[in-house]
């Protein structure tokens, strides 16, 4: 008997005369037999027995899994799109920041007036109290 | 490092589905027969529970995992192809589910399920493979469990499927996606590694037991 045949039979839990004869003349296979027997004992010693869940619990798990798969597919779609949405938003902000004309294309009426300075002539006609004042004449009574 | 998930497809020449005893039930389930699924569950619940319990080794989560596995199987029946017999396919789904569970739980420290107090100095031994020094004085269930836990998930899976579930080499190959020769080599190496760990822990115990 070849060692390979012995090992194959050993893994298949065979036990026959040929195998026993082979172990007597082959120390390597004898060692292998001891190792297999030892590991089987360890596995049996370590074995844990549990009670399987009831069928009703399995059906409940099926229902949960069905609901979860729906929610998951929705959130997965959003998760796939989210980076693109963020990238587009960031790109828009960057482009907008480097083109001020987009934000304020023309100065406003009030900005033009401020740039032109105080039109005191017009103001004095409309309101005599707004006659030219000396610097520091806060109340406008300096010239009276 | 945990093993990657097992492939869910692939033709495995060692196994033929022609004489699969579950095939008729599977076909009924695929046509929407819930009673057939229940029958399949009753047929395989014990084996799957045993595999999950001994591979994962967290007894408190085993019922939840088994429920989730069968729920996953039920929802995946559409994708099941009878090229592979049902039992290896079921165990492959179960293996992947257990690997996912361990991957998520990896950050937490492993606990050993034990019925006894965890005392590292307690005298214990397993039968020595050489049979030279000691025979079984005390086969400690929890320490045997520790040896099993110290193995990599791949080694543990092979040994659990072989020694506890008593599956054939061909079925283990179909579940793990390994060739027959790779299953044999993998089993041998897993046993060797377990023996090395046992001897290491034995030396550690002897070192602790020596007077200072």
């Amino acid at each position: 008997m070849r060692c390979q045949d012995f090992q194959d039979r050993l893994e298949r839990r065979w036990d026959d005369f040929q195998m026993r004869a082979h172990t007597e003349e082959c120390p390597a296979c004898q060692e292998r037999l001891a190792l297999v027997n030892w590991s089987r004992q360890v596995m049996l010693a370590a074995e844990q027995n549990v009670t399987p869940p009831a069928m009703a619990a399995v059906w409940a798990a099926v229902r949960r899994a069905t609901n979860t798969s729906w929610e998951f597919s929705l959130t997965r779609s959003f998760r796939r799109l989210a980076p693109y949405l963020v990238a587009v938003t960031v790109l828009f902000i960057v482009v907008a920041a480097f083109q001020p004309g987009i934000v304020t294309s023309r100065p406003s009426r009030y900005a033009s007036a401020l740039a032109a300075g105080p039109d005191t002539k017009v103001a004095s006609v409309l309101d005599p109290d707004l006659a030219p004042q000396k610097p520091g004449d806060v109340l406008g009574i300096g010239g009276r | 490092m945990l093993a990657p998930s097992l492939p869910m497809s692939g033709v495995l020449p060692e196994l033929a589905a022609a004489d699969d005893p579950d095939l008729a039930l599977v076909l009924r389930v695929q046509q929407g027969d819930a009673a057939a699924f229940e029958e399949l569950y009753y047929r395989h619940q014990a084996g799957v529970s045993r595999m999950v319990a001994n591979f994962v080794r967290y007894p408190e989560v085993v019922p939840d995992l088994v429920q989730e596995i069968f729920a996953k199987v039920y929802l995946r029946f559409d994708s099941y192809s009878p090229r592979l017999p049902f039992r290896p396919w079921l165990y492959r789904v179960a293996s992947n589910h257990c690997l996912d569970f361990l991957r998520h739980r990896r950050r937490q420290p492993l606990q050993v399920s034990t019925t006894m107090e965890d005392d590292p100095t307690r005298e214990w031994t397993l039968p020595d493979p050489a049979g030279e020094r000691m025979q079984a004085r005390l086969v400690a269930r929890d320490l045997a469990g520790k040896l099993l836990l110290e193995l990599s998930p791949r080694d543990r899976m092979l040994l659990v499927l072989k020694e506890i579930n008593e599956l054939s080499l061909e079925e283990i190959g179909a579940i793990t996606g390994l060739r027959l020769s790779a299953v044999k080599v993998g089993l041998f190496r897993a046993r060797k590694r377990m023996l090395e760990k046992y001897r290491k822990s034995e030396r550690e115990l002897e070192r602790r037991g020596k007077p200072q």
Side-chain angles (χ1 to χ4, degrees):
Chain A
M1 180 180 231
R2 293 184 310 153
C3 290
Q4 197 175 353
D5 295 333
F6 174 85
Q7 288 161 15
D8 189 60
R9 290 187 188 187
L10 185 62
E11 288 297 352
R12 295 179 191 280
R13 293 175 180 255
W14 286 20
D15 181 16
D16 56 29
F17 172 75
Q18 283 182 319
M19 288 175 71
R20 274 176 248 156
H22 180 76
T23 52
E24 284 174 12
E25 60 195 34
C26 178
C29 287
Q30 197 173 15
E31 194 179 338
R32 192 153 184 148
L33 174 66
L35 176 65
V36 169
N37 287 337
W38 175 80
S39 69
R40 279 178 188 159
Q41 289 185 55
V42 174
M43 294 301 291
L44 289 176
E47 185 175 358
Q48 292 183 343
N49 291 308
V50 289
T51 308
M55 192 66 230
V58 176
W59 283 123
V62 169
R63 281 193 294 276
R64 277 198 305 274
T66 310
N67 295 336
T68 311
S69 65
W70 261 101
E71 290 165 11
F72 180 72
S73 61
L74 283 174
T75 54
R76 185 177 55 186
S77 307
F78 181 75
R79 279 201 304 270
R80 281 181 180 169
L81 284 176
Y84 298 105
L85 289 173
V86 170
V88 167
T89 308
V90 168
L91 189 67
F92 179 77
I93 290 169
V94 168
V95 168
F98 282 98
Q99 292 188 359
I102 291 176
V103 179
T104 53
S105 57
R106 67 175 67 166
S108 69
R109 213 158 39 122
Y110 306 106
S112 307
L114 282 171
D119 189 351
T120 51
K121 192 177 176 183
V122 174
S124 61
V125 170
L126 293 174
D127 187 351
D129 287 342
L130 291 176
Q133 300 164 9
K134 291 180 181 175
D137 185 8
V138 178
L139 295 174
I141 56 175
R144 294 181 186 177
Chain B
M1 175 110 179
L2 288 176
S5 296
L6 305 168
M8 292 304 296
S9 60
V11 181
L12 295 142
E14 287 91 358
L15 278 179
D19 49 354
D20 182 7
D22 297 320
L23 187 59
L25 284 173
V26 170
L27 293 175
R28 278 172 54 199
V29 176
Q30 284 180 328
Q31 289 165 0
D33 186 346
F37 176 66
E38 292 192 357
E39 200 171 332
L40 273 177
Y41 174 70
Y42 290 126
R43 202 177 271 191
H44 294 288
Q45 57 171 352
V48 171
S49 300
R50 202 179 305 129
M51 189 276 266
V52 172
N54 288 286
F55 177 60
V56 172
R57 306 200 72 80
Y58 289 97
E60 69 278 7
V61 300
V62 172
D64 287 346
L65 287 177
V66 174
Q67 289 168 30
E68 289 161 12
I69 287 163
F70 277 94
K72 201 178 261 187
V73 164
Y74 184 77
L75 295 174
R76 282 191 189 174
F77 261 115
D78 290 341
S79 66
Y80 170 73
S81 162
R83 280 187 307 174
L84 185 66
F86 176 70
R87 189 161 80 160
W89 182 76
L90 168 66
Y91 277 75
R92 190 183 284 192
V93 173
S95 308
N96 281 335
H97 196 74
C98 292
L99 284 169
D100 286 343
F101 169 79
L102 290 178
R103 206 172 285 133
H104 287 131
R105 195 148 178 173
R106 187 168 38 173
R107 289 178 187 170
Q108 298 177 19
L110 287 173
Q111 298 166 355
V112 179
S113 165
T114 173
T115 52
M116 295 179 270
E117 292 296 317
D118 189 17
D119 177 9
T121 60
R122 190 183 58 223
E123 184 183 24
W124 66 280
T125 180
L126 295 164
D128 189 87
E132 292 172 359
R133 279 195 296 117
M134 49 187 152
Q135 291 300 311
R137 280 180 285 167
L138 175 66
V139 178
R141 173 190 167 89
D142 55 342
L143 290 163
K146 266 185 187 173
L147 279 181
L148 196 54
L149 259 181
E150 285 177 6
L151 293 177
S152 69
R154 184 179 177 276
D155 286 351
R156 194 159 72 236
M157 175 69 75
L158 286 172
L159 286 172
V160 166
L161 292 174
K162 182 72 178 68
E163 304 299 350
I164 291 181
N165 284 89
E166 298 184 358
L167 299 184
S168 70
L169 296 173
E170 287 80 4
E171 279 184 303
I172 295 172
I175 293 164
T176 55
L178 297 172
R179 291 186 178 280
L180 199 57
S181 55
V183 173
K184 289 180 195 169
V185 172
L187 277 168
F188 177 68
R189 287 182 180 161
R191 288 182 174 123
K192 287 283 276 187
R193 280 191 274 266
M194 190 158 72
L195 178 61
E196 284 162 14
K197 288 181 189 302
Y198 166 67
R199 287 188 170 149
K200 189 179 167 190
S201 62
E202 194 185 35
R203 282 195 298 272
E204 183 71 17
L205 274 177
E206 281 176 4
R207 192 178 58 78
R208 279 185 194 164
K210 278 181 186 171
Q212 299 295 319

